[in-house]
Amino acid sequence: MHDIIHLLPDNVANQIAAGEVIQRPASVLKELVENAIDAEALSIQIFLKDAGRTLIQVVDNGKGMSDTDARLAFERHATSKIKEAADLFALHTMGFRGEALASIAAVAQVEVHTRRESDELGTLIAISGSQLDLQEAVNCPKGTAFFVKNLFFNVPARRKFLKSNDTELRQLIVEFTRIALVYPQLHFTLQHNETELLNLAPTNHRQRIGQLFPSRNNAMQRQLVPIETHSSMVSISGYVGAPETAVRNANQFFFVNGRYMRHPYFHKAVMQAYEGLVSNQLTPPYFIYFEIDPASIDVNIHPTKTEIKFEQEPAIWSILLATVKESLSKSHAIPSIEFDQEGAIDIPTMHALKNMPQSQPKVNLNPAYNPFDNYSERSSNYQRPPMNWESLYHDFEKSKDQSALEHPTLPTMEHTSQELLDEEREGKNYLLYKNRFILAGGKSGLMFIDRQRAHVRILFEQWMRQLRERRGLSQQLLFPEMITLNVADALLLETVLPELHDVGFEVAAFGKNTFVVNGVPAGFENKPAIPMIELLVDTVKQNKGKMKEALNESIALTLAKAAAVDNDRTMTQDEMSQLLGQLFTCENPNITPEGKQIVVLLTNEEIEKKF
Ligand code: ADP
Ligand code: MG
């Protein structure tokens, strides 16, 4: 008798592995989009045909691959993300197992076009059923485009297993939504059979939720209560719906370290926080993000599995319950809810938008007032309403608000154009009190808004966005300025030049601890540049050694404080209205980044008691 064991050829092994990772079009989409995010793309475009059966195309503007890497990427266990087993416990990328591409290429016809910024020519690779068909140099834009065609073309049993197009498309959108909710700063588009279903401009978390789950007048989005807690064990942030937003089938999402998860046990904690606040059949929406040391959760889980084991579940359970409870108990005093129901800014209706010029909306009245807003630019690539959304999310809020679905509202525009404001503002009055507080009436009381703190909050969030998106607008200085620092400060400044560049400072080393400032962030051209740089160097010094995000936060705060309005000037109705409109679309309108109160609500009862 001779030996009977032999090794499976690669293509067979890959196909078997693919059975685990790639179950349906949605799994392909998830892997490709996660790879694009890991490649630091800022914009990700998705094109689908026949619910992904015929084509799943993902185009990113990330860092691309060299020709060798592009070929290697399709090998099993080929990854750029970990080198040794220990790395598994310190993982911050979405993928790491290095098996997605190999699996996809085993069960589909795959083409990739990829180019790194530094390469003149890109690479084209075609692989089907694990066989390399073609590799050649091509002209292509920076980034990577994956075309996955005829999924399961060589696995008829799998192909038969796929559900109807409606079901598969729904699953694709579900998978997409779970990623888009984590990366509001990225631009996503999604097309199905030539129809654009989604076009999500970069924004903040609250508005991304609104983009993905439109409701009438953005009622749901407005009534989201921010939650936040940080402890050595875990950080929890996100939004929970005010009790009034509870519906039969609410959208509920948990994420851990940027990854969607199901967690029935933690779900109970959230539900318990609502005890007595919502009736039995209804549940509130929530979007809750956990950040935790990757070593304390089980990372080596199956890639398609969404249930995650935490080391300290009971403790986190209690923290979660307390956080949600506390935020809800404060929420009746949450002014953004009050404000939006009867306040000055209505989100523009579809009708109003149609009549709006599609080109660049007018610039603000007073440039010093809102120096580097770049939303207007974004709102010009304004999106069509998410078509087919009704059928995809038909149960969302159905019982509650049928008409919202018949007249889907558009994703919020943070920034209404001046014409719109004029239309909407009629009959609404604000009072500027002691040049410091804006008084605005709401449904259940009178709000006092500290104008300067409000402005700091707005600017802070804008700067943060620019830092994350690396897209600050710069204004060239007519007369470049020189600054000489001591050695230590010069070294420090050197290290943060890229961050400063990201917000619009054009600063270059000029030899011997001297720097030349050629440009400043748009809106700062009238402020002296040198003190500004000195202030930033100080900020960096105080925050030395902090992680990038923390450093970004302190840079953003410094700039926001430097640019915020002074209280020495009066404000027009338009300006107040605009300020409040922007404030209440902020991620956290209630407190400044330093934790100071921005809005105080004097409730109707409190006022009446006084009489
Ligand atoms: P993993 O993501 O687990 O590392 P994959 O099979 O998904 O494994 O990808 C293999 C490798 O291919 C990645 O580690 C990465 O280096 C490279 N890669 C995949 N997609 C992209 C992309 N869109 N842009 C740049 N590199 C990519
Ligand atoms: Mg991957």
Side-chain angles (χ1 to χ4, degrees), residues 9-12 14 71 74 102 105-110 125-134 153-154:
D10 269 358
N11 61 333
V12 179
N14 282 340
R71 177 67 192 91
F74 289 98
V107 294
Q109 297 159 343
V110 179
I125 286 183
I127 294 189
S128 59
S130 298
Q131 304 296 323
L132 180 70
D133 296 334
L134 178 71
F153 78 104
N154 54 351

Side-chain angles (χ1 to χ4, degrees), residues 589-604:
N590 296 321
I591 51 168
T592 65
E594 298 160 296
K596 291 188 201 146
Q597 199 73 25
I598 298 174
V599 190
V600 168
L601 177 73
L602 197 57
T603 64
N604 289 333

Side-chain angles (χ1 to χ4, degrees), residues 374-388:
N374 54 12
Y375 294 36
S376 39
E377 184 187 318
R378 277 185 213 135
S379 53
S380 64
N381 58 28
Y382 206 71
Q383 313 115 27
R384 265 180 287 159
M387 300 178 55
N388 284 359

Side-chain angles (χ1 to χ4, degrees), residues 340-594:
D340 285 322
Q341 286 171 350
E342 230 176 60
I345 309 285
D346 270 339
I347 303 303
T349 60
M350 203 137 67
H351 174 72
L353 281 167
K354 267 199 210 114
N355 299 333
M356 203 178 111
Q358 285 294 299
S359 58
Q360 200 86 354
K362 279 192 200 138
V363 186
N364 292 334
L365 309 169
N366 179 351
Y369 169 62
N370 185 14
F372 21 70
D373 181 87
N374 54 12
Y375 294 36
S376 39
E377 184 187 318
R378 277 185 213 135
S379 53
S380 64
N381 58 28
Y382 206 71
Q383 313 115 27
R384 265 180 287 159
M387 300 178 55
N388 284 359
W389 194 259
E390 298 94 306
S391 61
L392 297 167
Y393 274 98
H394 72 278
D395 41 15
F396 174 61
E397 289 218 327
K398 183 158 82 188
S399 51
K400 193 187 165 208
D401 193 356
Q402 187 61 39
S403 56
L405 298 167
E406 285 153 20
H407 308 284
T409 43
L410 287 162
T412 324
M413 265 185 31
E414 294 186 22
H415 213 202
T416 50
S417 77
Q418 206 50 53
E419 293 101 299
L420 282 169
L421 277 177
D422 286 338
E423 244 176 53
E424 307 282 353
R425 208 202 54 242
E426 265 178 291
K428 287 163 184 156
N429 277 307
Y430 305 109
L431 182 71
L432 183 62
Y433 179 64
K434 287 200 179 295
N435 250 5
R436 173 167 176 196
F437 302 106
I438 299 172
L439 269 57
K443 196 174 177 184
S444 64
L446 180 63
M447 274 184 285
F448 292 71
I449 298 112
D450 186 307
R451 65 187 270 201
Q452 194 175 27
R453 291 180 185 177
H455 202 204
V456 168
R457 162 56 69 184
I458 294 165
L459 294 173
F460 171 78
E461 292 196 6
Q462 287 175 2
W463 283 116
M464 280 306 286
R465 209 158 4 205
Q466 296 195 359
L467 280 162
R468 289 195 191 115
E469 291 167 20
R470 296 165 240 146
R471 46 173 282 166
L473 294 176
S474 184
Q475 177 71 46
Q476 293 293 307
L477 288 181
L478 228 44
F479 306 102
E481 291 184 45
M482 303 286 246
I483 176 170
T484 303
L485 299 167
N486 66 42
V487 191
D489 287 359
L491 283 173
L492 211 57
L493 182 58
E494 190 97 43
T495 60
V496 291
L497 285 184
E499 276 79 22
L500 296 187
H501 178 83
D502 290 348
V503 287
F505 281 101
E506 305 279 350
V507 182
F510 202 70
K512 260 221 153 298
N513 308 329
T514 300
F515 296 81
V516 54
V517 187
N518 290 311
V520 292
F524 274 92
E525 50 274 21
N526 297 325
K527 302 209 177 228
I530 302 301
M532 196 70 216
I533 302 275
E534 283 167 349
L535 191 61
L536 283 169
V537 170
D538 264 356
T539 308
V540 176
K541 215 183 309 187
Q542 283 161 25
N543 293 283
K544 211 161 61 176
K546 278 212 192 148
M547 283 168 36
K548 194 166 160 54
E549 183 76 359
L551 185 64
N552 282 349
E553 275 177 19
S554 42
I555 291 177
L557 183 60
T558 310
L559 293 174
K561 281 162 77 177
V565 274
D566 288 330
N567 283 343
D568 57 5
R569 191 170 69 67
T570 185
M571 289 176 93
T572 65
Q573 288 289 323
D574 274 345
E575 288 173 329
M576 288 192 272
S577 151
Q578 213 168 347
L579 184 82
L580 297 188
Q582 293 185 340
L583 176 67
F584 289 119
T585 50
C586 277
E587 257 178 341
N588 194 344
N590 296 321
I591 51 168
T592 65
E594 298 160 296

Side-chain angles (χ1 to χ4, degrees), residues 47-57 191-194:
F47 304 87
L48 306 168
K49 283 217 173 86
D50 308 321
R53 271 170 226 269
T54 317
L55 176 72
I56 301 161
Q57 180 186 346
Q191 260 192 33
H192 181 242
N193 291 342
E194 323 285 311

Side-chain angles (χ1 to χ4, degrees), residues 98-144:
E99 56 189 3
L101 291 184
S103 302
I104 295 169
V107 294
Q109 297 159 343
V110 179
E111 218 180 281
V112 58
H113 302 199
T114 185
R115 184 172 72 80
R116 296 180 299 182
E117 192 154 32
S118 54
D119 297 337
E120 201 152 308
L121 278 177
T123 305
L124 183 163
I125 286 183
I127 294 189
S128 59
S130 298
Q131 304 296 323
L132 180 70
D133 296 334
L134 178 71
Q135 171 156 16
E136 62 183 26
V138 283
N139 264 312
C140 62
K142 173 205 166 204
T144 305

